[in-house]
């Protein structure tokens, strides 16, 4: 497997890999990574679909890419996916998946047309004081000390950040800034999250620093991610003959690690309560989704909180059983145990059944939520919320079956150890109606109307997700297995708990990238995997980032000591009339 960039490789079709007709594939998990692996096996590996077997523990596919109508509870979404133009492998995948609504278009085509017509732009990124706009909206409010800490983190080698937390490398100067408020609520970082992953994010998404307050860099699907992305993939794979088996718990995959190699030899699984094994040879490729952020999710309803008791879950148990066989298979305990109590674990789906709350939504987002246009363009964060509560309203209808009078709102709280500002409970203790009440309070609904709207004009479903931010647990090199462990002949790991260089977890791109790398490596596909977008290596992006990090100051406005000012003056004289001066002007630094 090798990486590439540019159109030459992006538009090429690889030759059929040698020996592929003698091979088959078993994919554990039907989340985005698993379905992407199946697609790449067919499209680029040219494997017959009927030789591909997807094993899923749930009764439906999609993993964390969800959005369902539950007859007993109503609409449920556990989160949303923020996407951007430089998800190189994601768009490489969806250019090949036909749209369900337009047979002459791909999923990428319809996504591209939609976001051109209805671009993302937030008119109310942060609120406080019951629906008021943040007075410093649009400003990053970073002190020189905080900027230095950012630069120091980026300059630190990844290997030197093992097990370090964000609040161990940043002071209150940084953690009290608008930059951190925007950044943490956009990406779901907690102060105790991995400094190593924070560094990756800074380098991966430095081209978004100028749009943190308006979210104009983001792209969103027409409907929820299950209907817009997963259903078209399932139709494509089923049409190709791929075998999808549900209600199947893979308990263990036995691996022969003798002779310096690794060969998966047996799958031990339980389907609909019946145990079975599958014997494997080197020609049987195995792709394992290890771990899951939505494993063990529980749900409440209007009058009951989501239960907090849960099993470890099949995906974690499988990873634990595999890790016992070889240390290169990673360390699952780092990610699924000792998660801080204050961590984000609760989200809720609010379905408004009339327009009682619409005026307050419109005041903040300055959009009619019934217009069909994307409403909040990502999260609206509530700065003075004890829960650090936030909400997002996507294009409506968010579900194809949604009624015209209904609006679906997703809410989440990043801190779970404090009582709310309106509801005097921890978020983990709240019923659906109470989650709604807290949200209505913060968007400015008069307190005498809150209980009536929550109880009689809406339906809210809480979801408890014990591992939702486990991707970000402090880690060190080796805690995540490589996509294809050294010496492996037929085994690969896929998803966000595996290791590939430079890219960032908690993204759709990471799921697809690891799937592509796994397929290309095990089948020796002769086509480059698109490399991670190199924004951190683009001097134009870096200069623009400096402009915004320094509060949109020009070079001559930045206060420097006398000696440094003299040096600056001489440098500016030297670059006058040169290409460097042009670059600085383009970045607004001159």
């Amino acid at each position: 497997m090798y990486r590439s960039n540019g159109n030459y490789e992006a538009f090429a079709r690889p030759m059929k890999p040698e020996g592929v007709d003698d091979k088959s594939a078993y994919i554990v998990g039907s989340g985005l990574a698993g379905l992407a692996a199946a697609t790449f096996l067919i499209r680029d590996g040219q494997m017959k679909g009927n030789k591909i077997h997807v094993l899923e523990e749930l009764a439906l596919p999609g993993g964390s890419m969800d959005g369902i109508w539950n007859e007993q509870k109503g609409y449920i979404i556990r989160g949303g996916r923020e996407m951007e133009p430089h998800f190189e492998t994601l768009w490489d995948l969806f250019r090949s998946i036909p749209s369900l609504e337009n047979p002459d278009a791909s999923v990428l085509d319809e996504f591209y047309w939609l976001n051109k017509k209805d671009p993302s732009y937030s008119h109310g990124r942060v609120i406080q004081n019951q629906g008021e706009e943040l007075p410093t909206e649009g400003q990053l409010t970073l002190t020189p000390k905080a900027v230095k800490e950012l630069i120091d983190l980026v300059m630190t080698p990844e290997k030197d950040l093992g097990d370090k937390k964000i609040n161990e490398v940043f002071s209150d100067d940084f953690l009290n800034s608008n930059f951190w408020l925007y950044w943490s609520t956009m990406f779901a970082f907690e102060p105790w999250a991995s400094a190593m992953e924070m560094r990756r994010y800074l380098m991966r998404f430095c081209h978004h620093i100028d749009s943190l307050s308006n979210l104009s860099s983001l792209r969103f699907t027409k409907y929820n991610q299950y209907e817009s992305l997963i259903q078209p993939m399932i139709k494509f794979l089923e049409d190709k003959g791929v075998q999808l088996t549900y209600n199947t718990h893979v308990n263990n995959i036995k691996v022969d690690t003798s002779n310096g190699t690794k060969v998966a030899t047996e799958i031990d699984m339980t389907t609909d309560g019946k145990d079975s094994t599958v014997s494997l040879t080197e020609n049987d490729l195995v792709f394992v989704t290890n771990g899951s952020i939505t494993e063990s999710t529980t749900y409440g309803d209007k009058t009951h909180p989501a239960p907090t008791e849960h099993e470890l879950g099949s995906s974690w148990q499988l990873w634990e059983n595999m890790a016992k066989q070889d240390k290169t298979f990673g360390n699952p305990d780092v990610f699924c145990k000792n998660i801080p109590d204050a961590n984000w674990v609760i989200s809720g789906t609010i379905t408004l059944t009339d327009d009682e709350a619409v005026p307050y939504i419109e005041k903040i987002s300055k959009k009619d939520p019934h217009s069909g246009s994307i409403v909040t363009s990502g999260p609206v964060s509530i700065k003075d919320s004890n829960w650090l509560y936030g909400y997002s309203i996507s294009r409506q209808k968010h579900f194809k079956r949604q009624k015209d009078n209904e609006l679906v709102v997703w809410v989440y709280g990043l801190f779970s150890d404090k009582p709310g500002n309106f509801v005097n409970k921890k978020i983990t203790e709240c019923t659906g109606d109470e989650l709604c009440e807290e949200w209505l309070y913060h968007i400015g609904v008069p307190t005498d109307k809150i209980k009536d709207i929550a109880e009689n004009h809406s339906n809210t479903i809480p979801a408890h997700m014990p591992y939702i931010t486990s991707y970000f647990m402090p880690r060190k090199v080796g805690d995540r297995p490589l996509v294809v462990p050294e010496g492996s002949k037929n085994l690969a790991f896929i998803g966000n708990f595996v290791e590939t260089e430079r890219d960032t977890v908690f993204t759709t791109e990471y799921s697809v990238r690891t799937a592509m790398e796994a397929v290309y490596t095990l089948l020796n596909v002769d086509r480059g995997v698109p490399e991670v977008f190199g924004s951190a290596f683009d001097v134009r992006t870096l200069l623009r980032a400096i402009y915004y990090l320094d509060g949109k100051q020009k070079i001559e406005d930045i206060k420097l000591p006398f000696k440094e000012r003299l040096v600056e003056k001489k440098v500016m004289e030297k670059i006058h009339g040169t290409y460097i001066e042009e670059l600085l002007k383009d970045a607004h630094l001159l």
Side-chain angles (χ1 to χ4, degrees):
M1 188 276 293
Y2 62 96
R3 297 181 177 87
S4 65
N5 56 42
N7 292 345
Y8 179 68
E9 296 256 1
F11 298 147
R13 291 176 58 238
M15 296 286 287
K16 186 173 183 177
E18 183 178 351
V20 69
D21 288 338
D22 298 323
K23 298 180 186 297
S24 64
Y26 292 87
I27 300 170
V28 181
S30 69
L32 180 58
L35 299 181
T39 303
F40 292 135
L41 284 167
I42 293 169
R43 189 193 74 181
D44 301 329
Q46 299 169 62
M47 182 180 286
K48 293 288 190 294
N50 61 8
K51 302 187 78 172
I52 301 171
H53 310 271
V54 180
L55 309 173
E56 170 57 50
E57 68 172 275
L58 300 178
L60 76 169
S64 302
M65 301 280 285
D66 63 0
I68 62 170
W69 163 259
N70 181 286
E71 292 288 346
Q72 288 73 43
K73 295 182 180 293
Y75 299 113
I76 299 175
I77 47 177
R78 290 179 291 187
R81 293 294 172 265
E82 300 166 346
M83 291 165 278
E84 56 121 26
H86 290 294
F87 279 6
E88 314 294 3
T89 63
L90 183 75
W91 306 132
D92 190 300
L93 169 68
F94 280 108
R95 69 180 171 86
S96 300
I97 303 296
S99 162
L100 294 181
E101 296 189 345
N102 184 349
D104 295 324
S106 68
V107 171
L108 174 58
D109 290 334
E110 65 179 5
F111 184 91
Y112 175 77
W113 298 334
L114 174 64
N115 284 279
K116 283 285 188 178
K117 181 180 179 181
D118 180 31
S120 174
Y121 195 93
S122 173
H123 295 282
R125 177 65 182 85
V126 177
I127 58 172
Q128 60 182 19
N129 300 328
Q130 295 173 259
E132 293 180 7
E133 183 178 283
L134 190 69
T136 54
E137 184 70 271
Q139 302 173 34
L140 300 185
T141 65
L142 288 164
T143 65
K145 179 182 179 182
V147 173
K148 182 179 183 302
E149 289 171 349
L150 273 170
I151 295 171
D152 287 346
L153 177 60
V154 169
M155 296 299 288
T156 302
E158 192 166 278
K159 63 180 177 60
D160 294 341
L161 293 170
D163 291 332
K164 284 192 177 293
K165 302 174 183 177
I166 288 172
N167 57 14
E168 292 175 338
V169 298
F170 287 114
S171 67
D172 287 344
D173 272 41
F174 176 79
L175 297 174
N176 291 330
S177 69
N178 282 357
F179 178 96
W180 172 244
L181 179 62
Y182 293 142
W183 192 268
S184 63
T185 55
M186 179 178 179
F187 297 121
F189 274 111
E190 308 271 5
W192 47 85
S194 167
M196 186 185 293
E197 194 63 31
M198 178 70 177
R199 176 184 181 273
R200 282 203 184 189
Y201 263 77
L202 288 168
M203 298 183 73
R204 176 70 167 84
F205 295 117
C206 63
H207 57 292
H208 290 329
I209 286 175
D210 61 347
S211 61
L212 282 178
S213 64
N214 59 47
L215 303 174
S216 58
S217 59
L218 300 183
R219 307 290 186 271
F220 296 92
T221 53
K222 182 176 181 180
Y223 300 110
N224 61 80
Q225 55 219 19
Y226 181 77
E227 290 181 283
S228 288
L229 298 178
I230 297 301
Q231 285 188 336
M233 294 184 73
I234 292 297
K235 175 68 164 57
F236 172 83
L237 294 172
E238 288 179 340
D239 286 349
K240 296 293 185 180
V242 173
Q243 308 297 307
L244 292 106
T245 306
Y246 301 106
N247 301 311
T248 297
H249 297 262
V250 177
N251 307 311
N252 198 6
I253 296 171
K254 295 180 181 178
V255 183
D256 181 356
T257 59
S258 62
N259 302 318
T261 63
K262 298 176 178 66
V263 179
T265 60
E266 185 178 282
I267 299 175
D268 172 14
M269 60 188 183
T270 305
T271 303
D272 292 325
K274 184 178 179 180
D275 295 337
S276 62
T277 59
V278 177
S279 296
L280 306 170
T281 70
E282 286 191 25
N283 279 333
D284 299 308
L285 310 182
V286 182
F287 302 87
V288 179
T289 309
N290 55 309
S292 168
I293 57 170
T294 50
E295 183 78 80
S296 306
T297 298
T298 58
Y299 300 98
D301 57 30
K302 280 176 65 66
T303 56
H304 298 88
T308 56
E309 297 297 321
H310 61 87
E311 299 287 337
L312 181 62
S314 291
S315 62
W316 293 103
Q317 290 175 351
L318 170 61
W319 189 6
E320 284 192 342
N321 288 335
M322 295 189 69
K324 292 174 184 176
Q325 300 178 59
D326 195 283
K327 64 180 182 181
T328 65
F329 294 165
N331 185 4
D333 286 0
V334 166
F335 303 99
C336 67
K337 296 181 180 178
N338 302 314
I339 298 173
D341 291 337
N343 207 49
W344 167 32
V345 291
I346 294 289
S347 73
T349 310
I350 300 173
T351 302
L352 300 172
T353 55
D354 57 32
D355 289 349
E356 286 290 318
V358 164
Y360 308 97
I361 294 170
E362 286 188 355
K363 180 184 176 183
I364 294 167
S365 296
K366 299 175 178 61
K367 290 183 182 180
D368 174 7
H370 291 297
S371 67
S373 175
I374 189 167
V375 183
T376 63
S377 296
V380 176
S381 301
I382 303 163
K383 183 177 181 179
D384 56 352
S385 163
N386 290 343
W387 297 344
L388 194 49
Y389 216 21
Y391 71 94
S392 178
I393 307 176
S394 299
R395 295 181 178 94
Q396 306 289 310
K397 303 174 178 180
H398 195 49
F399 290 79
K400 292 179 183 179
R401 65 175 293 154
Q402 201 172 315
K403 298 175 183 176
D404 291 339
N405 62 304
E406 294 176 327
L407 291 174
V408 173
V409 183
W410 180 66
V411 295
Y412 69 107
L414 288 184
F415 298 150
S416 302
D417 61 338
K418 299 176 182 178
N421 301 78
F422 182 76
V423 178
N424 189 30
K425 292 182 179 180
K426 296 177 183 178
I427 193 171
T428 51
E429 301 168 346
C430 287
T431 66
D433 282 351
E434 290 167 337
L435 291 182
C436 187
E437 289 174 12
E438 186 78 8
W439 173 66
L440 293 170
Y441 169 79
H442 282 295
I443 65 171
V445 175
T447 55
D448 60 347
K449 294 184 177 181
I450 287 176
K451 185 168 287 291
D452 177 56
I453 295 176
E455 293 180 357
N456 303 314
H457 303 269
S458 64
N459 178 51
T460 303
I461 306 301
H464 180 265
M465 302 170 288
Y467 308 112
I468 189 62
T469 57
S470 52
Y471 292 148
F472 290 162
M473 288 294 287
R475 68 176 191 275
K476 60 183 181 298
V477 174
D479 285 336
R480 304 190 303 206
L482 297 177
V483 174
V484 178
E486 187 176 347
S488 174
K489 299 295 185 181
N490 67 341
L491 174 69
F493 292 95
I494 57 177
N496 280 246
F497 288 103
V498 303
E499 180 61 40
T500 184
E501 62 182 19
R502 289 182 47 210
D503 218 342
T504 53
V505 296
F506 221 157
T507 61
T508 50
E509 172 71 357
Y510 205 90
S511 294
V512 177
R513 177 172 297 280
T514 56
M516 195 178 204
E517 291 183 355
V519 170
Y520 279 34
T521 301
L522 291 185
L523 277 184
N524 196 25
V525 174
D526 193 12
R527 176 180 182 260
V529 173
E531 71 173 0
V532 176
F533 180 57
S535 57
F537 308 112
D538 187 331
V539 67
R540 299 165 301 176
T541 299
L542 295 176
L543 290 173
R544 190 164 63 249
I546 289 170
Y547 171 69
Y548 282 93
L549 291 174
D550 273 327
K552 301 181 183 179
Q553 293 188 84
K554 297 188 183 300
I555 290 175
E556 59 265 28
D557 297 329
I558 298 174
K559 294 181 180 180
L560 294 173
F562 179 71
K563 288 185 178 179
E564 282 80 353
R565 179 62 67 188
L566 289 178
V567 172
E568 177 200 357
K569 183 177 180 181
K570 291 185 178 293
V571 170
M572 297 308 296
E573 290 173 355
K574 288 283 187 182
I575 67 170
H576 179 65
T578 67
Y579 175 53
I580 295 176
E581 185 182 47
E582 289 182 23
L583 288 173
L584 293 174
K585 286 182 177 178
D586 286 343
H588 308 298
L589 287 167
L590 290 178

